[in-house]
Each structure stands twice: as structure tokens, then as C-alpha cells.
């Protein structure tokens, strides 16, 4: 899974904590990408960060629900 963030974003800090906890619980890995490093990502996501992606599809933005994320990561691929 992937989480798009930007430095200094308090919602990103909150989301990162939820993502890290759920991924650790399920034995999943995640990577984090700063939208500030890519103008195309800045244009795409703007202020709708953090944004989470599961299996290449957008899952959530702004707030991350541990229950929703757990369900998405536990679902069979496809």
C-alpha cells in the first residue's frame, strides 16, 4: 500500500500512525511518497492529503479509518 503525504501536515502524521499500526498488525508493508517532490502529484492531490492507495487504487483521503483500511488490506486481490 502507499500513502501520499507532505511534510508538516498534521493529518498526514495521524494517517501515517494508523497505516503503520494496521500494516504491522497484518504483516503488510507500505511506502510513503511526498507530493512536494513531484509537481504532477501536487497538481493531482493538492490539499486532499494524505491519500492512501491499496492495490493501486485510491482508498481514502484526509482521514484514514483503521477498520476500513484493515478490511481493504484483508480483501482478496482483484
Amino acid at each position: 500500500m502507499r500513502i501520499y503525504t507532505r511534510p508538516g501536515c498534521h493529518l498526514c502524521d495521524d494517517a501515517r500512525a494508523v497505516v503503520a499500526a494496521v500494516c504491522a498488525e497484518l504483516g503488510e508493508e507500505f511506502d510513503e511518497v511526498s507530493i512536494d517532490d513531484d509537481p504532477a502529484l501536487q497538481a493531482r492531490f493538492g490539499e486532499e492529503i494524505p491519500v492512501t492507495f491499496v492495490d493501486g487504487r485510491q482508498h481514502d483521503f484526509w482521514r484514514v479509518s483503521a477498520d476500513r483500511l484493515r478490511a481493504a488490506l484483508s480483501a482478496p486481490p482483484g
Side-chain angles (χ1 to χ4, degrees):
M1 85 151 291
R2 173 167 285 170
I3 180 171
Y4 290 95
T5 62
R6 86 171 355 132
C9 165
H10 72 281
L11 291 177
C12 297
D13 295 340
D14 294 346
R16 183 182 309 104
V18 172
V19 168
V22 171
C23 284
E25 172 189 324
L26 298 177
E28 295 282 340
E29 293 187 13
F30 73 96
D31 66 338
E32 183 173 346
V33 176
S34 171
I35 69 167
D36 286 351
D37 296 335
D38 184 331
L41 292 176
Q42 288 178 4
R44 181 175 178 187
F45 298 122
E47 298 301 316
E48 292 185 348
I49 55 162
V51 180
T52 55
F53 275 72
V54 174
D55 294 329
R57 286 181 282 188
Q58 186 170 336
H59 173 70
D60 260 330
F61 68 96
W62 289 335
R63 306 257 182 221
V64 178
S65 161
D67 291 337
R68 275 182 34 85
L69 182 58
R70 193 176 293 110
L73 291 173
S74 298

